Amino acid sequence: MKTCQNCGYQLDDYAVSCYNCGAPCPNSNYQQTPYQNNPYQQQNPYVPAEKPESPVLAIIAIIIAFFIPIVGFVCGIIGTVKYKASKNKTMSIIAIVVSIVMWLVNIALLV
Ligand SMILES: [Zn+2]
């Protein structure tokens, strides 16, 4: 036996909805069988199966940009082309900006 969560009416274990008030019974096995969801659950893994992109290139590009701006600049360009994740793309752009800034700083120091 189980009890209706809505009105407290005593119900059989196999009841799908309350005999008294008609409220659906969440404990019912009939409602929890995921037959309808299965096709979607089987398709879903293909969609988010993409591995998260490694941000290593973008991080290295930013670090190198401080020391060897031209290399950081090139790595940043490669990153913006290669990366699809907006976070990694943004970091690549940061690497390009940093390398340009460092480049200008180096020139300014030389002059
Ligand atoms: Zn009820």
Side-chain angles (χ1 to χ4, degrees):
M1 291 290 280
K2 62 182 181 183
T3 312
C4 173
Q5 291 185 344
N6 188 45
C7 68
Y9 194 78
Q10 291 285 309
L11 302 168
D12 294 318
D13 284 333
Y14 53 82
V16 178
S17 60
C18 176
Y19 307 136
N20 187 41
C21 70
C25 299
N27 290 335
S28 169
N29 288 330
Y30 294 98
Q31 288 195 339
Q32 285 186 345
T33 42
Y35 289 124
Q36 289 183 336
N37 291 333
N38 265 344
Y40 299 103
Q41 284 172 348
Q42 282 168 357
Q43 283 173 0
N44 270 342
Y46 293 100
V47 179
E50 275 183 45
K51 271 191 184 172
E53 286 177 325
S54 164
V56 171
L57 176 70
I59 292 167
I60 289 173
I62 294 172
I63 295 166
I64 289 180
F66 283 100
F67 302 102
I68 317 164
I70 182 69
V71 178
F73 185 80
V74 171
C75 288
I77 296 284
I78 293 168
T80 50
V81 173
K82 198 186 123 198
Y83 281 132
K84 288 180 191 123
S86 59
K87 191 183 119 195
N88 292 336
K89 245 184 171 48
T90 305
M91 283 203 289
S92 302
I93 292 165
I94 290 170
I96 293 170
V97 171
V98 168
S99 61
I100 290 169
V101 169
M102 292 309 290
W103 214 333
L104 294 174
V105 167
N106 284 347
I107 292 167
L109 287 175
L110 287 173
V111 174

